[in-house]
Amino acid sequence: MRALEPWVEAPLSEFLAESAARLALLMTSAGQVVAQHGFTRALDVMSAAALGAGIMASTFELAKVMGTRPMGSVVHQGSAVGVYLASFDTPRGRWLGLVVFGRETSLGLVQLFFATLASDLARAAPAEEPPRQVLAENFEAELNNSLRALFGR
Amino acid sequence: MPLVNFTTREITCKLVYYGPGRCGKTTNLLYVHGRVPEDRRGNMVSLATQSDRTLFFDFLPLELGVISGFTTRFQLYTVPGQVYYNATRRLVLQGADGVVFVADSQARRFDDNLESFQNLQENLLEQGVDIRQLPLVLQYNKQDLPADLILAPPDLDDAFNFRGVPSHSADALHGAGVFETLKTLSGLVLARLATRPPAP
């Protein structure tokens, strides 16, 4: 499991153990990965987050067009695995969860324990840290070297 | 602002390519995808129509390397350019850390560029983002076309670059200007992390 901040790990671990989900991904509503379990490549998890955030964003817009309340979750049920996507509010803003589950569990269990996860995360979120400078002021040389290496020029 | 993970020392930035339909946004990403080593990029995700027009977005994750001790990743997105896809453009633009506005240099596309640029400003404003505060790079694409069909970069600067942001001539199909555009925007986005902290 990889988590953006340590306080996310315990609630997510508990969710995974209780729900028996195979993959789980927590992200911001803009598709930035906050925590994940089960994905092996950082770049693949970013693609999954982008697609998940896109689905939820379009679901919210669809609800607006239809004049209904926003739908908080979406389920895609395949023959072998299902995907549960849901949004929830945290003190750090609206987050989204993408959960992939198999026949060893059920949508009902995933939904049940996801609700617990959402409330656990809302409780566990610490007070926001004061902002701080991230990069050294002379980062440009490293950036240029990295881009040269990336593009081979 | 970019997502910063102080525990694992990672930075993730969302960069969006914006512009009118058929200006070359997807072509920019395809060129980058084709040039970057496989272990430094993910698969390019394209949500497109059957005729390969972008329906929702294209997405390409890149791993830049380590900058100031932080593993730095870029998420490159394109928006659908056609006027009637504004709802999806707004969604993709959400949370953008920087924008490349790709203008089609053909003189006959001038009004389309203008409309798209105004639409960018409107959509940002709707999200509470002042375009003057967001890292922005202009790319004048298709500069390889015959001179009588296109507007020269100084003319395009006069029309669109009233803020004096960086601009690049490009031929995205063959790669000219693609790298330079991405490099400039990367620098602008990361410079904000060096001069001001990320929003909590």
Side-chain angles (χ1 to χ4, degrees), chain A residues 121-139:
Chain A
L121 287 172
R123 261 198 311 274
E128 287 168 356
E129 290 181 22
R132 49 182 155 160
Q133 182 171 321
V134 177
L135 295 181
E137 286 179 13
N138 57 348
F139 73 92

PDB file of all heavy atoms in Angstrom, chain A residues 121-139:
ATOM      1  N   LEU A 121     -11.806   8.173   7.775  1.00  0.00           N
ATOM      2  CA  LEU A 121     -10.849   9.137   7.207  1.00  0.00           C
ATOM      3  C   LEU A 121     -11.196  10.561   7.638  1.00  0.00           C
ATOM      4  O   LEU A 121     -10.308  11.358   7.948  1.00  0.00           O
ATOM      5  CB  LEU A 121     -10.830   9.041   5.677  1.00  0.00           C
ATOM      6  CG  LEU A 121     -10.134   7.804   5.105  1.00  0.00           C
ATOM      7  CD1 LEU A 121     -10.346   7.716   3.591  1.00  0.00           C
ATOM      8  CD2 LEU A 121      -8.638   7.829   5.423  1.00  0.00           C
ATOM      9  N   ALA A 122     -12.486  10.847   7.664  1.00  0.00           N
ATOM     10  CA  ALA A 122     -12.902  12.191   8.082  1.00  0.00           C
ATOM     11  C   ALA A 122     -12.473  12.452   9.526  1.00  0.00           C
ATOM     12  O   ALA A 122     -12.060  13.557   9.872  1.00  0.00           O
ATOM     13  CB  ALA A 122     -14.420  12.332   7.938  1.00  0.00           C
ATOM     14  N   ARG A 123     -12.549  11.401  10.356  1.00  0.00           N
ATOM     15  CA  ARG A 123     -12.150  11.541  11.768  1.00  0.00           C
ATOM     16  C   ARG A 123     -10.640  11.602  11.918  1.00  0.00           C
ATOM     17  O   ARG A 123     -10.117  12.331  12.760  1.00  0.00           O
ATOM     18  CB  ARG A 123     -12.688  10.364  12.576  1.00  0.00           C
ATOM     19  CG  ARG A 123     -13.964  10.665  13.339  1.00  0.00           C
ATOM     20  CD  ARG A 123     -14.199   9.634  14.432  1.00  0.00           C
ATOM     21  NE  ARG A 123     -14.073   8.264  13.935  1.00  0.00           N
ATOM     22  CZ  ARG A 123     -15.067   7.587  13.382  1.00  0.00           C
ATOM     23  NH1 ARG A 123     -16.244   8.148  13.238  1.00  0.00           N
ATOM     24  NH2 ARG A 123     -14.889   6.354  12.967  1.00  0.00           N
ATOM     25  N   ALA A 124      -9.935  10.827  11.091  1.00  0.00           N
ATOM     26  CA  ALA A 124      -8.479  10.691  11.269  1.00  0.00           C
ATOM     27  C   ALA A 124      -7.695  11.870  10.700  1.00  0.00           C
ATOM     28  O   ALA A 124      -6.526  12.061  11.057  1.00  0.00           O
ATOM     29  CB  ALA A 124      -7.999   9.395  10.605  1.00  0.00           C
ATOM     30  N   ALA A 125      -8.330  12.636   9.824  1.00  0.00           N
ATOM     31  CA  ALA A 125      -7.589  13.723   9.162  1.00  0.00           C
ATOM     32  C   ALA A 125      -7.069  14.719  10.198  1.00  0.00           C
ATOM     33  O   ALA A 125      -7.852  15.279  10.963  1.00  0.00           O
ATOM     34  CB  ALA A 125      -8.506  14.427   8.160  1.00  0.00           C
ATOM     35  N   PRO A 126      -5.764  14.919  10.231  1.00  0.00           N
ATOM     36  CA  PRO A 126      -5.206  15.866  11.204  1.00  0.00           C
ATOM     37  C   PRO A 126      -5.423  17.307  10.745  1.00  0.00           C
ATOM     38  O   PRO A 126      -5.813  17.550   9.599  1.00  0.00           O
ATOM     39  CB  PRO A 126      -3.717  15.534  11.204  1.00  0.00           C
ATOM     40  CG  PRO A 126      -3.465  14.951   9.854  1.00  0.00           C
ATOM     41  CD  PRO A 126      -4.733  14.298   9.404  1.00  0.00           C
ATOM     42  N   ALA A 127      -5.173  18.224  11.666  1.00  0.00           N
ATOM     43  CA  ALA A 127      -5.250  19.638  11.277  1.00  0.00           C
ATOM     44  C   ALA A 127      -4.242  19.887  10.158  1.00  0.00           C
ATOM     45  O   ALA A 127      -3.177  19.260  10.122  1.00  0.00           O
ATOM     46  CB  ALA A 127      -4.925  20.509  12.485  1.00  0.00           C
ATOM     47  N   GLU A 128      -4.611  20.779   9.273  1.00  0.00           N
ATOM     48  CA  GLU A 128      -3.739  21.026   8.123  1.00  0.00           C
ATOM     49  C   GLU A 128      -2.424  21.658   8.570  1.00  0.00           C
ATOM     50  O   GLU A 128      -2.388  22.538   9.414  1.00  0.00           O
ATOM     51  CB  GLU A 128      -4.446  21.934   7.119  1.00  0.00           C
ATOM     52  CG  GLU A 128      -5.534  21.179   6.389  1.00  0.00           C
ATOM     53  CD  GLU A 128      -6.444  22.082   5.611  1.00  0.00           C
ATOM     54  OE1 GLU A 128      -6.269  23.302   5.710  1.00  0.00           O
ATOM     55  OE2 GLU A 128      -7.318  21.566   4.919  1.00  0.00           O
ATOM     56  N   GLU A 129      -1.348  21.144   7.956  1.00  0.00           N
ATOM     57  CA  GLU A 129      -0.025  21.682   8.274  1.00  0.00           C
ATOM     58  C   GLU A 129       0.148  23.031   7.608  1.00  0.00           C
ATOM     59  O   GLU A 129      -0.423  23.275   6.542  1.00  0.00           O
ATOM     60  CB  GLU A 129       1.058  20.745   7.737  1.00  0.00           C
ATOM     61  CG  GLU A 129       1.145  19.437   8.490  1.00  0.00           C
ATOM     62  CD  GLU A 129       2.246  18.560   7.918  1.00  0.00           C
ATOM     63  OE1 GLU A 129       3.154  19.105   7.272  1.00  0.00           O
ATOM     64  OE2 GLU A 129       2.174  17.346   8.115  1.00  0.00           O
ATOM     65  N   PRO A 130       0.929  23.903   8.210  1.00  0.00           N
ATOM     66  CA  PRO A 130       1.192  25.174   7.529  1.00  0.00           C
ATOM     67  C   PRO A 130       1.954  24.914   6.226  1.00  0.00           C
ATOM     68  O   PRO A 130       2.805  24.019   6.178  1.00  0.00           O
ATOM     69  CB  PRO A 130       2.063  25.943   8.522  1.00  0.00           C
ATOM     70  CG  PRO A 130       2.578  24.917   9.466  1.00  0.00           C
ATOM     71  CD  PRO A 130       1.607  23.798   9.486  1.00  0.00           C
ATOM     72  N   PRO A 131       1.618  25.654   5.171  1.00  0.00           N
ATOM     73  CA  PRO A 131       2.309  25.456   3.901  1.00  0.00           C
ATOM     74  C   PRO A 131       3.813  25.699   4.045  1.00  0.00           C
ATOM     75  O   PRO A 131       4.237  26.494   4.875  1.00  0.00           O
ATOM     76  CB  PRO A 131       1.683  26.524   2.994  1.00  0.00           C
ATOM     77  CG  PRO A 131       0.431  26.920   3.652  1.00  0.00           C
ATOM     78  CD  PRO A 131       0.631  26.725   5.114  1.00  0.00           C
ATOM     79  N   ARG A 132       4.594  25.003   3.260  1.00  0.00           N
ATOM     80  CA  ARG A 132       6.043  25.214   3.284  1.00  0.00           C
ATOM     81  C   ARG A 132       6.594  25.126   1.864  1.00  0.00           C
ATOM     82  O   ARG A 132       5.971  24.535   0.983  1.00  0.00           O
ATOM     83  CB  ARG A 132       6.720  24.188   4.179  1.00  0.00           C
ATOM     84  CG  ARG A 132       6.296  22.762   3.904  1.00  0.00           C
ATOM     85  CD  ARG A 132       6.965  21.786   4.848  1.00  0.00           C
ATOM     86  NE  ARG A 132       6.181  20.575   5.000  1.00  0.00           N
ATOM     87  CZ  ARG A 132       6.681  19.423   5.433  1.00  0.00           C
ATOM     88  NH1 ARG A 132       7.944  19.334   5.742  1.00  0.00           N
ATOM     89  NH2 ARG A 132       5.907  18.362   5.538  1.00  0.00           N
ATOM     90  N   GLN A 133       7.755  25.696   1.710  1.00  0.00           N
ATOM     91  CA  GLN A 133       8.397  25.653   0.388  1.00  0.00           C
ATOM     92  C   GLN A 133       8.810  24.220   0.089  1.00  0.00           C
ATOM     93  O   GLN A 133       9.294  23.514   0.963  1.00  0.00           O
ATOM     94  CB  GLN A 133       9.629  26.563   0.374  1.00  0.00           C
ATOM     95  CG  GLN A 133      10.316  26.605  -0.978  1.00  0.00           C
ATOM     96  CD  GLN A 133      11.400  27.683  -1.033  1.00  0.00           C
ATOM     97  OE1 GLN A 133      11.220  28.759  -0.497  1.00  0.00           O
ATOM     98  NE2 GLN A 133      12.496  27.380  -1.678  1.00  0.00           N
ATOM     99  N   VAL A 134       8.604  23.793  -1.150  1.00  0.00           N
ATOM    100  CA  VAL A 134       8.847  22.404  -1.503  1.00  0.00           C
ATOM    101  C   VAL A 134      10.198  22.232  -2.195  1.00  0.00           C
ATOM    102  O   VAL A 134      11.022  21.424  -1.777  1.00  0.00           O
ATOM    103  CB  VAL A 134       7.723  21.891  -2.431  1.00  0.00           C
ATOM    104  CG1 VAL A 134       8.002  20.465  -2.855  1.00  0.00           C
ATOM    105  CG2 VAL A 134       6.382  21.991  -1.717  1.00  0.00           C
ATOM    106  N   LEU A 135      10.401  22.989  -3.255  1.00  0.00           N
ATOM    107  CA  LEU A 135      11.606  22.792  -4.063  1.00  0.00           C
ATOM    108  C   LEU A 135      12.655  23.849  -3.738  1.00  0.00           C
ATOM    109  O   LEU A 135      12.325  24.972  -3.362  1.00  0.00           O
ATOM    110  CB  LEU A 135      11.260  22.881  -5.552  1.00  0.00           C
ATOM    111  CG  LEU A 135      10.341  21.806  -6.103  1.00  0.00           C
ATOM    112  CD1 LEU A 135      10.123  22.011  -7.586  1.00  0.00           C
ATOM    113  CD2 LEU A 135      10.908  20.416  -5.868  1.00  0.00           C
ATOM    114  N   ALA A 136      13.902  23.462  -3.923  1.00  0.00           N
ATOM    115  CA  ALA A 136      14.974  24.435  -3.785  1.00  0.00           C
ATOM    116  C   ALA A 136      14.827  25.485  -4.887  1.00  0.00           C
ATOM    117  O   ALA A 136      14.282  25.206  -5.968  1.00  0.00           O
ATOM    118  CB  ALA A 136      16.318  23.733  -3.919  1.00  0.00           C
ATOM    119  N   GLU A 137      15.295  26.667  -4.593  1.00  0.00           N
ATOM    120  CA  GLU A 137      15.101  27.748  -5.569  1.00  0.00           C
ATOM    121  C   GLU A 137      15.888  27.508  -6.860  1.00  0.00           C
ATOM    122  O   GLU A 137      15.555  28.033  -7.912  1.00  0.00           O
ATOM    123  CB  GLU A 137      15.481  29.089  -4.934  1.00  0.00           C
ATOM    124  CG  GLU A 137      14.417  29.551  -3.940  1.00  0.00           C
ATOM    125  CD  GLU A 137      14.763  30.866  -3.281  1.00  0.00           C
ATOM    126  OE1 GLU A 137      15.695  31.535  -3.762  1.00  0.00           O
ATOM    127  OE2 GLU A 137      14.112  31.204  -2.279  1.00  0.00           O
ATOM    128  N   ASN A 138      16.955  26.718  -6.774  1.00  0.00           N
ATOM    129  CA  ASN A 138      17.772  26.476  -7.966  1.00  0.00           C
ATOM    130  C   ASN A 138      17.456  25.111  -8.588  1.00  0.00           C
ATOM    131  O   ASN A 138      18.345  24.367  -8.975  1.00  0.00           O
ATOM    132  CB  ASN A 138      19.253  26.550  -7.607  1.00  0.00           C
ATOM    133  CG  ASN A 138      19.609  25.554  -6.515  1.00  0.00           C
ATOM    134  OD1 ASN A 138      18.715  24.989  -5.898  1.00  0.00           O
ATOM    135  ND2 ASN A 138      20.881  25.326  -6.288  1.00  0.00           N
ATOM    136  N   PHE A 139      16.165  24.787  -8.671  1.00  0.00           N
ATOM    137  CA  PHE A 139      15.765  23.471  -9.164  1.00  0.00           C
ATOM    138  C   PHE A 139      15.878  23.339 -10.678  1.00  0.00           C
ATOM    139  O   PHE A 139      15.823  22.252 -11.223  1.00  0.00           O
ATOM    140  CB  PHE A 139      14.318  23.185  -8.745  1.00  0.00           C
ATOM    141  CG  PHE A 139      13.312  23.974  -9.525  1.00  0.00           C
ATOM    142  CD1 PHE A 139      12.749  23.451 -10.667  1.00  0.00           C
ATOM    143  CD2 PHE A 139      12.967  25.264  -9.141  1.00  0.00           C
ATOM    144  CE1 PHE A 139      11.840  24.187 -11.403  1.00  0.00           C
ATOM    145  CE2 PHE A 139      12.068  26.001  -9.868  1.00  0.00           C
ATOM    146  CZ  PHE A 139      11.505  25.472 -11.009  1.00  0.00           C
TER     147      PHE A 139
END
